[in-house]
Structures are given as C-alpha cells and as structure tokens.
Amino acid sequence: MVTALVFIKTDVDRVHEAAEEIAALDGVSEVYSVTGRHDLVAMVRVRRHDDLNDVIPGRLNKVRGVRDTETHIAFRTYSQHDLEVAFSLGLPDAD
C-alpha cells in the first residue's frame, strides 16, 4: 500500500465542492479542510506508485476549483494500530 498526502489549494468559493468531489475519487480515502497555506489535505492510498499518477494528476488535479497541489509520499507509518490491515479492508486482492 502506497500512501500520499496531497496538499491542495483551491478557489476560495470552491473549497467545499472541491473537497466533496475529491473525497468521491477512487484512491482517495480521506479529505481534510485545513488552515494555513493550503485549503485541503487528501489522503491517497493505492497499491502501486504508478497508480498515484491515475489519481493525482489524472483525476484530483482536474477537479474544478483545484488551483495547485503538492504531493508527499509517506515512507513509514508510526501508529499503535495495524494500519496495513485497516487500509486493505474492502480492497480486492492484488493479481
């Protein structure tokens, strides 16, 4: 499982609508409205690094109102929970 944090700047009048559209995209597990330099943070989880291209530049960047994105790949998770099991729930088995 590959996890990316995508920091998103949107048009001021489209934050809510953009967040809802982004949250509905396959590969996006969560979207947070935040304060600071960015308007939203999306958690993208895919099976392979190559799949990030389909989700982020392929679909997320094309959502109306999205002005700019900054993507950070997560290399390690620090948690007291078994996140690998939690994130794989409902995903089809890899070929």
Side-chain angles (χ1 to χ4, degrees), residues 36-60:
R37 290 186 356 207
H38 300 91
D39 301 302
L40 303 169
V41 175
M43 299 287 287
V44 176
R45 293 191 173 95
V46 294
R47 290 209 178 271
R48 301 174 307 126
H49 280 94
D50 292 343
D51 296 337
L52 291 173
N53 290 331
D54 295 334
V55 178
I56 300 167
R59 288 178 269 150
L60 191 151

Side-chain angles (χ1 to χ4, degrees), residues 9-16 18 39 64-67:
K9 291 182 185 179
T10 65
D11 292 335
V12 173
D13 62 339
R14 293 278 307 157
V15 174
H16 180 75
D39 301 302
R64 193 170 141 235
V66 171
R67 293 187 0 228

Side-chain angles (χ1 to χ4, degrees), residues 13-27:
D13 62 339
R14 293 278 307 157
V15 174
H16 180 75
E17 293 84 356
E20 288 184 345
E21 289 180 44
I22 292 167
L25 296 174
D26 286 340

